[in-house]
Amino acid sequence: MALEGVADIIEIVARFIGRLFTEVLIEFLCKGMGYLICRKFNEDIDPDGFMVLIVGLSFWVIVIVSAILIYDTLVQQIAPV
């Protein structure tokens, strides 16, 4: 009985954290940035559209890959050979 109660509480907390993570990551970061980029090219863009999501995801992929490449280049230049 007590273990079922603990399991229920853990499930509720995990669902809340998952939902929060999903909302922040997808809605705010991906769709928000995608909307800002698409808005520059098209005044009549749907903020919840598929194009906004794809542009936002592409933007973050480019940012992450660029950061990794810059880091790798800096490490190679700084590290003694």
Side-chain angles (χ1 to χ4, degrees):
M1 283 292 212
L3 291 177
E4 289 179 11
V6 171
D8 288 341
I9 291 173
I10 291 173
E11 180 183 358
I12 291 170
V13 170
R15 283 184 186 221
F16 175 74
I17 291 172
R19 177 79 175 181
L20 187 66
F21 179 73
T22 303
E23 290 290 326
V24 168
L25 185 68
I26 292 176
E27 293 291 331
F28 182 69
L29 292 178
C30 292
K31 284 188 176 181
M33 186 55 66
Y35 179 72
L36 289 176
I37 293 170
C38 288
R39 184 84 171 142
K40 299 288 182 184
F41 299 105
N42 187 2
E43 293 291 324
D44 187 30
I45 191 78
D46 180 21
D48 292 323
F50 184 70
M51 179 63 78
V52 169
L53 180 63
I54 295 300
V55 170
L57 284 173
S58 300
F59 170 79
W60 287 112
V61 166
I62 290 169
V63 167
I64 291 170
V65 168
S66 298
I68 291 170
L69 292 174
I70 290 170
Y71 174 77
D72 188 43
T73 303
L74 289 175
V75 166
Q76 287 178 0
Q77 289 179 356
I78 294 172
V81 177

